[in-house]
Amino acid sequence: MSAFLKFALAMDWISAQLGKIAAWAVLAASLISAGNAFVRYGLDFSSNAWLEIQWYLFAATVMLGAPLVLKLNEHVRVDIIYGKLKRHGPVYVDLFGLLFFLLPVMGLLFWLTFPFFLNMLRSGEMSGNIGGLIRWPAALMMPLGFGAVFLQGVAEVIKRIAYLRGLIQMDTHYEKPVQ
């Protein structure tokens, strides 16, 4: 199990790094948005590239931030039943959701979006807007994000199994692994 736990810890670190990139993408998108508004309304000048880079940064924020949200156990779930479960109950619910919903969906989305990204990369597809940007960087965010969430989901499965086997401790309030 130690190799599996090392993988889980490595994936936690990768997700944290992707989360930092996502945080910087939020800042960059905000600054670009403010600058674009100033230039557009103050100087009466505009470019579609500025609007599109905001869209790209939003894609990076969502897709690169999602693995960290899963790692921190801050994702959306219905707590009506989950909150009333005691002891190992929430962990079993998490395992069920991870194994039967998250991993299959993220695997499918990765499988569907990777060829889409490759096609854009090979073709050099450009935005149809005047002054628009090349599209593959935005398309890259999909398989990268879905793949990272899939791998973080595997790490979460490993941590929950390790908890059930008594190999690691978890925060009982949030059911997060104690690092």
Side-chain angles (χ1 to χ4, degrees):
M1 187 58 130
S2 67
F4 289 118
L5 285 173
K6 285 180 184 177
F7 166 80
L9 290 175
M11 196 58 224
D12 285 352
W13 182 84
I14 290 168
S15 292
Q17 301 315 303
L18 292 174
K20 289 177 185 176
I21 294 169
W24 282 106
V26 170
L27 177 62
S30 299
L31 293 173
I32 289 169
S33 178
N36 189 37
F38 173 76
V39 169
R40 175 175 282 192
Y41 296 110
L43 304 176
D44 198 32
F45 175 77
S46 182
S47 169
N48 286 328
W50 291 112
L51 296 173
E52 289 187 13
I53 196 69
Q54 292 172 61
W55 173 62
Y56 288 18
L57 290 168
F58 179 70
T61 299
V62 172
M63 299 307 290
L64 300 180
L68 181 61
V69 171
L70 181 61
K71 174 198 174 294
L72 297 175
N73 208 20
E74 296 293 333
H75 53 285
V76 175
R77 86 168 125 248
V78 180
D79 284 337
I80 295 169
I81 297 171
Y82 190 87
K84 295 180 182 185
L85 297 173
K86 302 294 180 217
R87 295 189 27 92
H88 297 315
V91 177
Y92 287 116
V93 170
D94 283 347
L95 279 171
F96 179 80
L98 289 164
L99 292 171
F100 292 101
F101 294 105
L102 184 110
L103 292 178
V105 170
M106 290 300 109
L108 175 66
L109 290 172
F110 175 82
W111 185 70
L112 292 172
T113 59
F114 190 74
F116 176 74
F117 154 70
L118 282 179
N119 187 41
M120 278 196 179
L121 179 64
R122 288 181 188 133
S123 71
E125 182 177 332
M126 297 288 293
S127 167
N129 296 320
I130 294 173
L133 303 174
I134 194 161
R135 289 243 169 119
W136 71 261
L140 171 63
M141 292 301 110
M142 291 185 296
L144 185 61
F146 293 134
V149 171
F150 180 89
L151 292 174
Q152 186 62 49
V154 171
E156 295 305 313
V157 167
I158 291 167
K159 289 185 282 189
R160 278 155 181 80
I161 291 171
Y163 169 73
L164 291 172
R165 295 183 69 199
L167 300 174
I168 63 171
Q169 296 293 317
M170 294 182 85
D171 180 343
T172 56
H173 179 67
Y174 296 108
E175 291 302 330
K176 294 180 197 172
V178 177
Q179 305 270 332

